[in-house]
Amino acid sequence: MDGMSGPYVIRGSVSLPEAELMWRFSRSSGPGGQHVNTSDTQVELSFDLSRTEALPEVWKRRALERLAGRLVDGVVTVRSSEHRSQWRNREAAAVRLAALLAEATAPPPRPRKPTRIPRGINERRLRQKKQRAEIKRGRTGRDWG
C-alpha cells in the first residue's frame, strides 16, 4: 500500500497486521458534489479478531470478550466516510480500528483496595450528627403558645 502512514500501533510493539486487514470501498453519502456519485470514498475495514496471530493470546481473549457485541463471526468492522477522499477515510478507519483494539486489549484496572476510616474522623462525624439532631429537635413547636 503506497502512501499509507505506516503501521498502526495498538500498544507497545504490537501493531495492526497489514496482511490481515480487509478493505471494502463503496459510494459514500455526504459532501462531494457530482464527484460523490462516481467515487468509492466510504471505507469499511474488517479485521478477523478470532483468527489473528498478530495479537498475544491474552489480548485476543480479552478483546473477543469485550467486543462480543460488535463482532460478526469473530470479525470486527469499522466504517469511515467523513472525509471526501478515500485515502483520508482509510487513514481514519485504520486509526479507529487501532484505537478500538487498544481499548479492548487494555489490562483490567487494578481492584480497589478498601481503606479504613480513622476512628477519630468517624467519632467526629457521629458527634456532629448528634449536634445537628439536637438543633433540629429544638425546632419542634410543641411548647410554643
Side-chain angles (χ1 to χ4, degrees), residues 38-135:
T38 58
S39 56
D40 295 341
T41 53
Q42 177 170 289
V43 172
E44 201 172 281
L45 175 58
S46 301
F47 178 63
D48 194 338
L49 195 54
S50 58
R51 292 208 190 90
T52 187
E53 299 292 312
L55 298 179
E57 202 49 48
V58 186
W59 287 22
K60 197 158 116 174
R61 266 202 311 275
R62 225 182 267 154
L64 285 167
E65 209 172 283
R66 290 184 186 164
L67 297 174
R70 281 195 69 147
L71 299 176
V72 180
D73 299 331
V75 177
V76 64
T77 303
V78 173
R79 222 182 246 122
S80 174
S81 60
E82 62 264 21
H83 300 294
R84 282 176 60 168
S85 86
Q86 186 191 89
W87 189 79
R88 281 175 65 194
N89 279 331
R90 279 168 104 134
E91 286 281 296
V95 167
R96 206 173 293 162
L97 181 63
L100 185 72
L101 289 175
E103 200 176 306
T105 58
R110 283 219 180 98
R112 181 183 172 276
K113 201 166 123 196
T115 52
R116 285 199 50 210
I117 299 170
R119 204 160 122 213
I121 291 178
N122 213 14
E123 285 173 355
R124 189 172 65 212
R125 182 181 63 86
L126 292 174
R127 248 198 327 277
Q128 286 172 343
K129 256 177 92 119
K130 275 208 175 74
Q131 254 179 349
R132 191 88 189 125
E134 278 302 313
I135 291 170

